[in-house]
Amino acid sequence: MRLENKVALITGASNGIGKETALLFAKEGARVVLTDINDQDGESVAASIGKAATYVHADVSKASDCESMVAQAEERFGKLDILFNNAGIMHSDDGDAGSTEEAIWDLTMNINLKGVFFGCKYGIPALKRAGGGSIINTASFVALLGAATPQLAYTASKGGVLAMTRELAVIHARENIRVNALCPGPLRTELLMKFLDTEAKKQRRLVHIPMGRFGEASEMAKAALYLASEDASYVTGTDFVVDGGITAAYVTPE
Ligand code: NAD
């Protein structure tokens, strides 16, 4: 088991990547604190894991919720070793510079970027108390590419996550804290699929993916497991891209 005696906190753990990661981390021996705003799904994922998991309501855009989720992790399991800042949204009214309203920009930044900041603000002191640890921040392949299907606030927020990840990695490198960004490609989760609701819309995206398919949340969980574990002991400050080849492509196979 790769995470024996480790305690992990995952934000956005009720669905998608966060949920799959919670299940995998628990299977690998970790005790897991799942946090989200969707309490019903979060409670049910935690219950399916059993005693090694607990669910805590936490809206990552609220400083007090983030402070409290970290405190509850330490209270319940005695320490914190792994922090997965994963919660994020993609708003349907996020568009180009002309069409994106300030309120949508602020909402997206508050969850996707400030949420990662709050996770680190309160999580890093806990990791230090545990003697070090691993932070994984979920960014996206769109932080590395421009898309002609614009979601400007989302893309900018994920670019911010990459920049913040690098600086945190450098600041905390000598404290035995590794900080990496996970950059998923387009996934078959609710977050993206609610936008790609016709076959034609799906095909328009699939044509850009060399592997010719969307990724699975479970494939991101495996990447998060690697970054969380001792297998990644010399890995910090990276944009860890798991995208079916999309960022490597100019022309994709027919
Ligand atoms: P998802 O919608 O399945 O899960 C996201 C979870 O975050 C949900 O459970 C939701 O309730 C929670 N959440 C939303 N707002 C929150 C808040 N304010 N506080 C706490 N939790 C909140 O999506 P997913 O695909 O698993 O996405 C997870 C992360 O991966 C996000 O950061 C997303 O931007 C990123 N990502 C997704 C894709 C994709 O194609 N799905 C691609 C690249 C990056």
Side-chain angles (χ1 to χ4, degrees), residues 140-142 144-145 183-187 205-216 219-220 240-253:
S140 171
F141 74 103
V142 301
L144 304 165
L145 288 176
C183 297
L187 306 182
R205 300 295 176 94
L206 283 171
V207 78
H208 298 292
I209 308 172
M211 284 192 178
R213 66 171 177 87
F214 294 108
E216 300 293 336
E219 294 177 303
M220 302 308 120
F240 198 84
V241 178
V242 187
D243 70 347
I246 196 167
T247 53
Y250 169 43
V251 178
T252 53

Side-chain angles (χ1 to χ4, degrees), residues 117-228:
F117 162 63
F118 283 153
C120 292
K121 182 174 178 63
Y122 298 108
I124 287 171
L127 295 181
K128 283 190 195 170
R129 286 190 284 276
S134 171
I135 299 175
I136 304 148
N137 298 324
T138 305
S140 171
F141 74 103
V142 301
L144 304 165
L145 288 176
T149 48
Q151 282 160 319
L152 213 56
Y154 182 84
T155 301
S157 72
K158 295 302 188 178
V161 170
L162 289 190
M164 184 161 51
T165 298
R166 278 183 214 111
E167 185 142 316
L168 286 167
V170 173
I171 294 171
H172 297 289
R174 297 194 182 184
E175 294 164 349
N176 196 30
I177 296 174
R178 295 181 296 102
V179 192
N180 289 286
L182 176 62
C183 297
L187 306 182
R188 218 162 49 85
T189 65
E190 172 70 15
L191 182 121
L192 181 62
M193 289 305 129
K194 68 173 188 265
F195 293 102
L196 309 184
D197 50 3
T198 65
E199 202 43 43
K201 284 186 198 164
K202 286 196 179 74
Q203 285 307 324
R204 167 113 165 77
R205 300 295 176 94
L206 283 171
V207 78
H208 298 292
I209 308 172
M211 284 192 178
R213 66 171 177 87
F214 294 108
E216 300 293 336
S218 58
E219 294 177 303
M220 302 308 120
K222 288 180 204 164
L225 171 61
Y226 167 69
L227 292 171

